[in-house]
Amino acid sequence: MTEQATVEKRTIPTDSLPTRPGPLYSGDGWDWIDALPEGWTAIGLWGRDGWNLGDWPYVITAHYNDPEAGVFGRATYVEGDVGVYAYPDRAARDEDTDRYALFYWRHLKHGPDVSKLPSADAPVSEIPDRYRGPFSW
């Protein structure tokens, strides 16, 4: 199952977001981070121990939070292509970020020990807590 197919089941229309990164970007990833609309924040680390999320500056994730409006966003930049997803709550957005992180950790092999990760198509409930959620100490 592709990332798009997975997230479409949990998302709301992206026009629920007051601002969105554009679908294509001609600069590099560092420029994309600098050009993120107000309210968007690039997320560099994920999981309890803070493993790389993506592969900066080629693969970058950004989050948007507006709990008062009930809308949360995730944007992904992959070498100039941008995907934007909107969610009704932080939990749904973070669960999809968990799946996204798992995919890239397995693919790029620069996150947690791949032999200890669940399969790429594992349900979020099977992803151990240490690999889930925003990094914070």
Side-chain angles (χ1 to χ4, degrees):
M1 180 177 290
T2 66
E3 179 192 8
Q4 183 66 32
T6 300
V7 299
E8 283 179 353
K9 295 177 183 176
R10 304 179 50 77
T11 59
I12 59 177
T14 57
D15 61 5
S16 303
L17 295 161
T19 61
R20 296 178 293 287
L24 294 173
Y25 191 77
S26 60
D28 68 16
W30 304 117
D31 295 332
W32 184 77
I33 291 170
D34 290 340
L36 283 169
E38 185 175 341
W40 288 87
T41 303
I43 308 297
L45 301 173
W46 198 253
R48 185 188 71 201
D49 295 334
W51 293 283
N52 290 335
L53 181 58
D55 186 22
W56 288 29
Y58 310 106
V59 179
I60 303 166
T61 296
H63 281 177
Y64 176 86
N65 300 312
D66 189 346
E68 290 180 19
V71 65
F72 297 82
R74 179 172 64 89
T76 57
Y77 168 95
V78 181
E79 296 187 11
D81 294 326
V82 179
V84 179
Y85 310 93
Y87 305 85
D89 55 58
R90 183 185 312 265
R93 192 268 321 277
D94 287 356
E95 285 179 5
D96 277 342
T97 304
D98 293 336
R99 287 187 194 94
Y100 178 80
L102 184 63
F103 170 81
Y104 273 99
W105 291 336
R106 287 180 124 338
H107 178 71
L108 298 172
K109 297 178 177 62
H110 71 267
D113 181 351
V114 175
S115 69
K116 296 180 180 176
L117 294 173
S119 67
D121 59 353
V124 171
S125 62
E126 293 180 15
I127 301 173
D129 287 344
R130 68 181 305 210
Y131 305 126
R132 299 182 60 199
F135 168 69
S136 68
W137 274 347

